[in-house]
């Protein structure tokens, strides 16, 4: 019989990780197809792709760190930094394309002044657009989102691997199963906020950002079921 009580702590960590992933999506500047045409502020791709890209990079970073140490703070720090680097590089390259390729000034249509630099935004927004490029506030917001997503993804992976280590020897089968569930939980918690955002978001200065509690609550409930299924499946490796 599977002892769920013995894995309550790890299940709790999985749920916390899922909630952080859900919250992180609201920080990432997503512009979708309009941004690809420089008609909206943000990165020119969807919410799930950006969240998964940043978070899974962090998850991989955490996995590599777990080959070296079993220190939770170091593992979480590795995943967090990995995700931050990934999303930062994506935003920097996107900015180069907007500025030097398209020839537009990064500016937001949601605020008159950049909350961080206090530079005027409305003077540079082209008519018929909702802004373009990645202004400073969007970049900083994206880095915060990457950090939260990487931290949450690393926490999910670490907790599930600990569940597996409690019932069987660590081998390729276990690592593969844990990775599958960690990626699956990440995607679940990346899709839920995308419905909440409803298209594009510029960052924490965007009015849509205030809707994050709805997505976080939904992700909390969804991740509980995901954690339950994951623990049951991984525990089967030990013949329980």
């Amino acid at each position: 019989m599977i002892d769920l009580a013995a894995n309550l702590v790890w299940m709790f960590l999985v749920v916390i990780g899922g909630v952080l992933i859900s919250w992180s999506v609201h920080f990432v500047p997503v512009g979708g197809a309009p941004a690809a045409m420089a008609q909206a502020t943000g990165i020119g791709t969807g919410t799930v792709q950006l969240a998964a890209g940043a978070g899974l990079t962090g998850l991989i970073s955490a996995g590599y760190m777990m080959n070296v140490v079993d220190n939770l703070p170091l593992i979480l720090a590795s995943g967090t930094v990995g995700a931050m680097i990934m999303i930062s590089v994506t935003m920097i390259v996107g900015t180069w394309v907007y500025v030097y390729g398209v020839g537009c000034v990064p500016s937001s249509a949601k605020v008159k002044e950049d909350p961080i630099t206090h530079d005027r935004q409305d003077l540079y927004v082209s008519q018929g657009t909702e802004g373009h490029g990645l202004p400073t506030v969007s970049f900083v917001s994206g880095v915060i989102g990457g950090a939260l997503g990487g931290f949450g993804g690393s926490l999910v992976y670490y907790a599930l691997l600990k569940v597996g280590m409690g019932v069987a020897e660590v081998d390729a089968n276990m690592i593969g199963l844990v990775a599958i569930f960690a990626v699956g939980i990440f995607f679940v918690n990346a899709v839920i906020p995308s419905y909440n955002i409803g298209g594009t978001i510029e960052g924490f200065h965007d009015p849509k950002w205030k809707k994050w509690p709805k997505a976080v609550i939904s992700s909390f409930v969804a991740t509980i079921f995901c954690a339950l299924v994951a623990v049951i499946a991984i525990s089967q490796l030990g013949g329980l």
Side-chain angles (χ1 to χ4, degrees), residues 34-139:
M37 298 180 288
Q39 295 179 346
T41 302
I43 305 170
T45 187
T47 307
V48 178
Q49 291 87 343
L50 284 174
L56 295 181
T57 302
L59 194 152
I60 293 172
S61 300
Y64 274 113
M65 181 60 72
M66 289 188 72
N67 289 327
V68 181
V69 297
D70 190 30
N71 185 290
L72 180 58
L74 287 179
I75 293 170
L76 296 179
S78 176
T80 301
V81 173
M84 291 170 69
I85 292 174
M86 185 276 175
I87 196 67
S88 296
V89 171
T90 302
M91 292 188 293
I92 289 174
V93 174
T95 300
W96 290 345
V97 172
Y98 288 125
V99 174
Y100 299 108
V102 181
C104 61
V105 179
S107 55
S108 169
K110 299 294 176 69
V111 288
K112 186 176 181 179
E113 293 184 353
D114 189 302
I116 296 178
T117 64
H118 300 294
D119 293 330
R120 287 287 296 272
Q121 302 290 292
D122 56 325
L123 298 177
Y124 305 99
V125 176
S126 302
Q127 290 185 351
T129 73
E130 297 182 0
H132 26 68
L134 287 151
T136 303
V137 64
S138 295
F139 184 91

Side-chain angles (χ1 to χ4, degrees), residues 10-239:
W10 305 126
M11 293 174 64
F12 175 75
L13 292 181
V14 170
V15 173
I16 294 300
V19 168
L20 289 175
I21 292 168
S22 179
W23 191 32
S24 73
V25 176
H26 294 77
F27 286 88
V28 180
V30 179
M37 298 180 288
Q39 295 179 346
T41 302
I43 305 170
T45 187
T47 307
V48 178
Q49 291 87 343
L50 284 174
L56 295 181
T57 302
L59 194 152
I60 293 172
S61 300
Y64 274 113
M65 181 60 72
M66 289 188 72
N67 289 327
V68 181
V69 297
D70 190 30
N71 185 290
L72 180 58
L74 287 179
I75 293 170
L76 296 179
S78 176
T80 301
V81 173
M84 291 170 69
I85 292 174
M86 185 276 175
I87 196 67
S88 296
V89 171
T90 302
M91 292 188 293
I92 289 174
V93 174
T95 300
W96 290 345
V97 172
Y98 288 125
V99 174
Y100 299 108
V102 181
C104 61
V105 179
S107 55
S108 169
K110 299 294 176 69
V111 288
K112 186 176 181 179
E113 293 184 353
D114 189 302
I116 296 178
T117 64
H118 300 294
D119 293 330
R120 287 287 296 272
Q121 302 290 292
D122 56 325
L123 298 177
Y124 305 99
V125 176
S126 302
Q127 290 185 351
T129 73
E130 297 182 0
H132 26 68
L134 287 151
T136 303
V137 64
S138 295
F139 184 91
V140 173
S141 181
V143 173
I144 295 173
L148 291 173
F151 188 94
S154 303
L155 195 61
V156 170
Y157 182 77
Y158 177 85
L160 293 181
L161 193 58
K162 283 295 185 180
V163 172
M165 292 170 64
V167 297
E169 294 293 329
V170 177
D171 56 16
N173 291 331
M174 178 196 294
I175 293 175
L177 184 61
V178 168
I180 289 172
F181 274 105
V183 171
I185 291 173
F186 202 102
F187 273 111
V188 167
N189 289 292
V191 170
I192 291 175
S194 68
Y195 287 99
N196 197 34
I197 292 170
T200 64
I201 187 170
E202 295 188 357
F204 58 70
H205 64 291
D206 193 306
K208 290 183 179 180
W209 184 83
K210 298 178 181 179
K211 298 166 63 176
W212 67 263
K214 296 180 180 179
V216 166
I217 293 173
S218 298
S219 292
F220 176 80
V221 175
T223 310
I224 290 176
F225 291 101
C226 291
L228 183 63
V229 173
V231 168
I232 292 175
I234 294 173
S235 296
Q236 296 301 312
L237 291 174

